[in-house]
């Protein structure tokens, strides 16, 4: 089970940190990712991290978002800085069956949280 938290409303230029807590397995073994979906748009990969800590980001968030994980606490984070109105979306965390080379394609992930809303005005 994956449970996201930390969403909210923020003005453009502001920051938010999303968290994703899980139970049942360790983050250290699998690729984990953050995704977002705005109304009327497809779900897109934002950031991903693999079992070794290698990361990957969508071009639209590079330099602004940082994905990290606390293996001891089994929490996945997404630090979002310099937020823009176009970052407004429901944000989801997810787990892949893969362990290396973190994918950004939603189809590579099989377990999903219920999402947390981020609104940037």
């Amino acid at each position: 089970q994956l449970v996201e938290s930390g969403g909210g409303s923020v003005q453009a230029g502001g920051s938010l940190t999303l968290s994703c807590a899980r139970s049942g397995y360790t983050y250290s073994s699998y690729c984990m990712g953050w995704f977002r979906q705005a109304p009327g748009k497809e779900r897109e990969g934002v950031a991903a991290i693999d079992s070794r800590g290698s990361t990957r980001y969508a071009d639209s968030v590079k330099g602004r978002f940082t994905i990290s994980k606390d293996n001891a606490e089994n929490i996945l984070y997404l630090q979002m800085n310099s937020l823009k109105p176009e970052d407004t979306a429901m944000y989801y965390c997810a787990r892949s069956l893969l362990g290396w080379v973190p994918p950004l394609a939603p189809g590579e992930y099989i377990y999903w949280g219920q999402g947390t809303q981020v609104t940037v005005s």
Side-chain angles (χ1 to χ4, degrees):
Q1 182 179 6
L2 299 171
V3 180
E4 303 95 336
S5 62
S9 296
V10 64
Q11 291 188 336
S15 298
L16 283 173
T17 300
L18 305 184
S19 300
C20 175
R22 72 102 190 111
S23 60
Y25 51 84
T26 176
Y27 279 157
S28 63
S29 300
Y30 302 97
C31 292
M32 300 295 300
W34 284 100
F35 299 80
R36 65 187 182 187
Q37 188 167 18
K41 295 188 176 181
E42 293 186 354
R43 190 169 297 187
E44 64 173 347
V46 174
I49 187 167
D50 73 8
S51 60
R52 299 168 296 183
S54 296
T55 58
R56 189 174 177 185
Y57 296 92
D59 289 343
S60 59
V61 306
K62 281 181 181 177
R64 300 189 297 122
F65 290 12
T66 302
I67 187 171
S68 62
K69 58 180 178 174
D70 183 330
N71 288 332
E73 297 295 329
N74 294 318
I75 301 176
L76 181 73
Y77 298 101
L78 184 68
Q79 174 67 44
M80 305 185 295
N81 298 325
S82 303
L83 283 162
K84 305 176 181 179
E86 51 263 44
D87 295 319
T88 295
M90 185 71 77
Y91 282 71
Y92 301 88
C93 67
R95 196 209 95 178
S96 174
L97 286 176
L98 304 174
W100 293 358
V101 188
L104 286 177
E108 297 289 348
Y109 292 79
I110 60 169
Y111 297 109
W112 294 82
Q114 293 189 327
T116 185
Q117 177 68 37
V118 172
T119 302
V120 185
S121 59

Short mmCIF file of all heavy atoms in Angstrom, two decimals, residues 6 9-18 64 78-83:
data_model
loop_
_atom_site.label_atom_id
_atom_site.label_comp_id
_atom_site.label_asym_id
_atom_site.label_seq_id
_atom_site.Cartn_x
_atom_site.Cartn_y
_atom_site.Cartn_z
N GLY A 6 1.24 15.59 1.62
CA GLY A 6 2.05 16.78 1.42
C GLY A 6 1.55 17.73 0.35
O GLY A 6 2.12 18.80 0.16
N SER A 9 -2.10 23.83 -1.72
CA SER A 9 -2.14 24.99 -2.60
C SER A 9 -0.98 25.91 -2.28
O SER A 9 -0.69 26.17 -1.11
CB SER A 9 -3.47 25.74 -2.42
OG SER A 9 -4.55 24.94 -2.82
N VAL A 10 -0.33 26.40 -3.31
CA VAL A 10 0.83 27.26 -3.14
C VAL A 10 0.89 28.27 -4.27
O VAL A 10 0.37 28.02 -5.37
CB VAL A 10 2.12 26.40 -3.09
CG1 VAL A 10 2.34 25.70 -4.42
CG2 VAL A 10 3.33 27.22 -2.68
N GLN A 11 1.47 29.41 -4.00
CA GLN A 11 1.64 30.41 -5.05
C GLN A 11 2.82 30.05 -5.94
O GLN A 11 3.75 29.36 -5.51
CB GLN A 11 1.84 31.78 -4.43
CG GLN A 11 0.60 32.33 -3.74
CD GLN A 11 0.77 33.78 -3.30
OE1 GLN A 11 1.88 34.24 -3.09
NE2 GLN A 11 -0.34 34.47 -3.17
N ALA A 12 2.78 30.54 -7.15
CA ALA A 12 3.88 30.31 -8.08
C ALA A 12 5.20 30.77 -7.47
O ALA A 12 5.26 31.82 -6.84
CB ALA A 12 3.62 31.04 -9.39
N GLY A 13 6.21 29.95 -7.65
CA GLY A 13 7.51 30.22 -7.06
C GLY A 13 7.72 29.56 -5.72
O GLY A 13 8.85 29.54 -5.20
N GLY A 14 6.65 29.03 -5.16
CA GLY A 14 6.73 28.39 -3.87
C GLY A 14 7.23 26.96 -3.95
O GLY A 14 7.58 26.46 -5.02
N SER A 15 7.22 26.30 -2.79
CA SER A 15 7.75 24.94 -2.68
C SER A 15 6.78 24.04 -1.92
O SER A 15 6.02 24.51 -1.06
CB SER A 15 9.09 24.95 -1.95
OG SER A 15 10.07 25.69 -2.65
N LEU A 16 6.84 22.78 -2.24
CA LEU A 16 6.11 21.75 -1.51
C LEU A 16 6.97 20.50 -1.49
O LEU A 16 7.75 20.27 -2.42
CB LEU A 16 4.77 21.42 -2.18
CG LEU A 16 3.60 22.37 -2.00
CD1 LEU A 16 2.45 21.92 -2.88
CD2 LEU A 16 3.17 22.46 -0.56
N THR A 17 6.79 19.70 -0.45
CA THR A 17 7.44 18.39 -0.39
C THR A 17 6.37 17.32 -0.24
O THR A 17 5.60 17.34 0.72
CB THR A 17 8.42 18.30 0.78
OG1 THR A 17 9.43 19.30 0.64
CG2 THR A 17 9.08 16.93 0.80
N LEU A 18 6.34 16.42 -1.20
CA LEU A 18 5.42 15.30 -1.15
C LEU A 18 6.11 14.10 -0.52
O LEU A 18 7.32 13.90 -0.70
CB LEU A 18 4.94 14.93 -2.56
CG LEU A 18 4.31 16.04 -3.38
CD1 LEU A 18 3.81 15.48 -4.72
CD2 LEU A 18 3.20 16.73 -2.63
N ARG A 64 14.24 21.70 -10.74
CA ARG A 64 13.26 22.23 -9.80
C ARG A 64 12.78 21.17 -8.80
O ARG A 64 12.50 21.49 -7.65
CB ARG A 64 12.05 22.79 -10.55
CG ARG A 64 12.38 23.91 -11.51
CD ARG A 64 11.11 24.56 -12.05
NE ARG A 64 10.28 23.64 -12.83
CZ ARG A 64 9.01 23.36 -12.54
NH1 ARG A 64 8.42 23.92 -11.49
NH2 ARG A 64 8.32 22.52 -13.30
N LEU A 78 9.31 13.84 -2.78
CA LEU A 78 9.47 14.67 -3.96
C LEU A 78 9.51 16.12 -3.48
O LEU A 78 8.49 16.66 -3.07
CB LEU A 78 8.35 14.47 -4.97
CG LEU A 78 8.52 15.26 -6.27
CD1 LEU A 78 9.71 14.71 -7.08
CD2 LEU A 78 7.25 15.20 -7.12
N GLN A 79 10.69 16.70 -3.52
CA GLN A 79 10.85 18.10 -3.17
C GLN A 79 10.60 18.91 -4.43
O GLN A 79 11.27 18.73 -5.45
CB GLN A 79 12.26 18.37 -2.64
CG GLN A 79 12.57 19.84 -2.38
CD GLN A 79 11.77 20.42 -1.25
OE1 GLN A 79 11.62 19.79 -0.20
NE2 GLN A 79 11.23 21.61 -1.45
N MET A 80 9.64 19.82 -4.36
CA MET A 80 9.26 20.62 -5.53
C MET A 80 9.50 22.09 -5.22
O MET A 80 8.89 22.64 -4.30
CB MET A 80 7.79 20.38 -5.88
CG MET A 80 7.44 18.92 -6.09
SD MET A 80 5.75 18.68 -6.64
CE MET A 80 4.85 19.25 -5.22
N ASN A 81 10.40 22.69 -5.96
CA ASN A 81 10.73 24.11 -5.81
C ASN A 81 10.35 24.88 -7.06
O ASN A 81 10.13 24.29 -8.12
CB ASN A 81 12.22 24.27 -5.54
CG ASN A 81 12.67 23.59 -4.26
OD1 ASN A 81 11.94 23.55 -3.28
ND2 ASN A 81 13.88 23.06 -4.27
N SER A 82 10.28 26.18 -6.93
CA SER A 82 9.98 27.06 -8.07
C SER A 82 8.74 26.57 -8.82
O SER A 82 8.73 26.45 -10.05
CB SER A 82 11.18 27.13 -9.01
OG SER A 82 12.33 27.59 -8.34
N LEU A 83 7.71 26.28 -8.07
CA LEU A 83 6.50 25.71 -8.67
C LEU A 83 5.85 26.70 -9.63
O LEU A 83 5.87 27.92 -9.43
CB LEU A 83 5.53 25.29 -7.58
CG LEU A 83 5.90 23.98 -6.88
CD1 LEU A 83 5.18 23.85 -5.55
CD2 LEU A 83 5.60 22.80 -7.79
#
